[in-house]
Amino acid sequence: MTTLILTVAGADRPGLVAAVADVVDAHGGNWENSSLAELAGTFAGVIEVSVADDRAAELQTALRTLQGQGLLTLAVVTGTPDVDLDDEQLLTIQVLGNDRHGIVREISTVLSAHALSIEELATETRDAAMAGGRLFEASVTAKVPASVDLDALRADLERIATEIQVDITLA
């Protein structure tokens, strides 16, 4: 089987997911995993599809017709097989604080410096109910190699939390 990773974006309207799903199904593909959202009037997402090796090119060509029809901007790349690393664990990091520039950059820089790989990142800004202003909230799931010094990682995240004035919780 071939794994295809689709990135899609387009003006949000009914039927976009159905259009992609129809093409995937019609060409023998299986919709495996996805993360889809409407952001500022734009539908955007990442979709993992598996398909028989001999039908992968056909499916890619068919998916590109959606772009040609003006429905979506679409990119297709071939995924890589999962590497089974038994010595890695997952770490969940929650971030909450007043919204400001650079929060994602600061946190991702610390994670990168400690060789963590971000598995999933979800962020949101919203109005602060009582204090006014905007709140920033993030949830990060990261792969932690066994070689990582968790105390040093925690210390660096606590230092960043103080500098950028956010709360960071590790689980």
Side-chain angles (χ1 to χ4, degrees):
M1 296 293 279
T2 296
T3 299
L4 301 177
I5 306 301
L6 320 177
T7 57
V8 297
D12 190 33
R13 62 178 174 250
L16 293 178
V17 173
V20 175
D22 285 346
V23 172
V24 169
D25 185 60
H27 293 85
N30 186 45
W31 189 295
E32 299 281 344
N33 297 295
S34 62
S35 181
L36 308 168
E38 180 274 327
L39 302 166
T42 299
F43 171 77
V46 180
I47 306 161
E48 176 187 354
V49 173
S50 62
V51 64
D53 294 337
D54 62 340
R55 297 195 72 187
E58 168 191 328
L59 175 56
Q60 289 184 57
T61 299
L63 286 164
R64 287 192 178 92
T65 65
L66 295 174
Q67 185 164 311
Q69 297 169 4
L71 292 175
L72 293 165
T73 300
L74 181 108
V76 181
V77 297
T78 303
T80 56
D82 287 338
V83 178
D84 187 23
L85 299 173
D86 293 333
D87 60 346
E88 288 187 341
Q89 63 181 357
L90 292 179
L91 177 67
T92 301
I93 303 162
Q94 300 293 325
V95 180
L96 180 63
N98 290 323
D99 189 28
R100 63 179 285 287
H101 296 284
I103 295 173
V104 172
R105 179 184 50 81
E106 294 286 348
I107 292 170
S108 62
T109 298
V110 169
L111 298 180
S112 177
H114 287 274
L116 274 70
S117 176
I118 295 175
E119 182 89 356
E120 187 174 336
L121 168 65
T123 65
E124 176 184 21
T125 58
R126 64 178 185 275
D127 290 330
M130 301 297 248
R134 303 279 295 162
L135 287 177
F136 174 85
E137 187 171 4
S139 177
V140 181
T141 302
K143 289 182 185 177
V144 184
S147 61
V148 168
D149 179 345
L150 289 175
D151 290 333
L153 171 64
R154 185 178 305 275
D156 283 350
L157 286 171
E158 288 172 357
R159 178 185 51 78
I160 288 296
T162 300
E163 288 176 13
I164 61 176
Q165 300 179 346
V166 297
D167 292 324
I168 297 178
T169 307
L170 303 174

